[in-house]
Structures are given as structure tokens and as C-alpha cells.
Amino acid sequence: METKAYSIIEEAYKEYYPVIYRYVRCRIRCKYEVEDLVQDVFMRLLDYDNMLQKSTIQSFLFTIARNLVIDYLRCYYKKQEMILCAYENFIESTCGPEEEIIAKDLLIIERLRLSAFPQQRRKIYSMSRFEEKTLCEISEELQLSKSTVENHLFIGRKVMRNYISMCI
């Protein structure tokens, strides 16, 4: 990368980071997602190193930020729609008494295994599974990084899947 383009990006980062952060934060609630998206905005500038000039950098930044926010929200709402659809289909498919008994038994098995989890992993898993909280909500409530919460959920779900599959 040219030194000129690098210095333009460095100056833009120092000058526009707070502005871009506020722009994205007004549209997305999760602090950690906002930080990731703002970082992506500046990373995308690297793709345009030949086209960068001080006079156009601000418009580049806001265009990139707007597009990333739109993509993020599109994926977010699509995911919410899919979760709702899956939940509705699950309710419709498990309305018989036998399915209810099986679901209750699996819940007992799940809670039994959950009691053996380390305290923090148990708390995070419970908040996600039973309180239906998002990664962002959990990380903000417990004051943990998003990646820490993701790691605990990943490990907890993996352990739970293996345990339940052995019980079935």
C-alpha cells in the first residue's frame, strides 16, 4: 500500500472514528456489534487505497458504513424471521401428549447436566437457552466480551448435545 493512502486512512481513523461510531450506534443497539462494524468500515478503506483522497474520504466512510449497517440489519431481521418460523413450526409439530412428555424428559436431562457446568458457563447457557437473551444482552449484563460469551455458549452447547445424544 502506498504511504500516502496509509496516512490518509490513519488521519481519517483519528478524525472520523467517533462520528462513524455514533452513526452506526444510532442504528444498532449492541455495542460490540457496533465496534466490529466500525472497524470493518475502516478495513474496507484499504480496498480503495488507489482512489482515496482527503476530499472524498468522508463520503467513502459514510457510504461504506451505511452499506454495512444495511447488510447487518438485513441479516439480523432475516435471522429473527427464521427463528420465529422455526419456533412456530416446532410448536405445531410437538402438540401431541407423547411429544410433550418427551420434551419434559429432555428438559429434565438438560437441567441435570446443566447443574454440572462451571458457574459462569451455566449462567451464560441459562440466559441464552431459558431467558432467550442474545449474545449482546448477555455480554452487557455480565460485563463480559462478546467472544467470551460466544466461547462459553459454544462449549456449553457442544457438551449438552453430546450428553443428550448419549441419553437418547
Side-chain angles (χ1 to χ4, degrees):
M1 178 192 290
E2 296 178 17
T3 316
K4 178 184 173 191
Y6 180 76
S7 77
I8 290 174
I9 293 172
E10 184 180 7
E11 288 176 29
Y13 186 85
K14 290 175 184 174
E15 183 177 349
Y16 292 108
Y17 183 89
V19 177
I20 298 297
Y21 183 89
R22 283 191 303 272
Y23 175 82
V24 175
R25 182 71 172 160
C26 288
R27 288 148 182 84
I28 298 173
R29 291 185 298 175
C30 180
K31 178 177 114 177
Y32 300 109
E33 293 293 335
V34 171
E35 290 171 358
D36 287 346
L37 284 172
V38 173
Q39 191 66 33
D40 287 347
V41 168
F42 288 96
M43 292 301 292
R44 296 269 173 105
L45 277 182
L46 298 172
D47 296 337
Y48 300 102
D49 62 340
N50 295 333
M51 301 167 55
L52 293 179
Q53 296 177 4
K54 284 188 175 192
S55 60
T56 60
I57 195 83
Q58 183 179 6
S59 59
F60 260 120
L61 286 169
F62 279 99
T63 300
I64 293 168
R66 184 191 71 223
N67 291 340
L68 287 174
V69 167
I70 289 170
D71 289 347
Y72 172 84
L73 291 174
R74 187 179 298 133
C75 289
Y76 175 81
Y77 287 115
K78 189 66 170 174
K79 182 179 175 184
Q80 296 301 318
E81 185 180 314
M82 290 172 59
I83 290 170
L84 180 61
C85 181
Y87 182 72
E88 288 172 354
N89 288 336
F90 177 74
I91 289 174
E92 290 174 6
S93 69
T94 60
C95 59
E98 291 176 10
E99 287 84 4
E100 286 181 27
I101 293 170
I102 292 170
K104 285 180 183 176
D105 287 346
L106 287 174
L107 184 60
I108 291 169
I109 290 170
E110 182 181 18
R111 289 194 185 270
L112 179 66
R113 180 64 179 112
L114 185 61
S115 66
F117 277 18
Q119 182 180 1
Q120 190 169 26
R121 186 167 300 141
R122 180 175 51 240
K123 177 82 173 156
I124 291 171
Y125 184 92
S126 295
M127 291 172 79
S128 173
R129 171 76 170 90
F130 302 114
E131 298 174 29
E132 299 179 3
K133 293 190 177 186
T134 65
L135 286 174
C136 291
E137 292 170 338
I138 296 169
S139 63
E140 287 176 2
E141 187 173 323
L142 298 179
Q143 297 180 342
L144 297 170
S145 73
K146 183 181 167 192
S147 60
T148 300
V149 173
E150 284 177 335
N151 288 335
H152 279 290
L153 275 177
F154 176 77
I155 294 168
R157 288 174 178 161
K158 183 178 178 182
V159 168
M160 192 62 74
R161 272 193 308 273
N162 290 338
Y163 182 73
I164 290 176
S165 67
M166 288 179 2
C167 294
I168 295 180

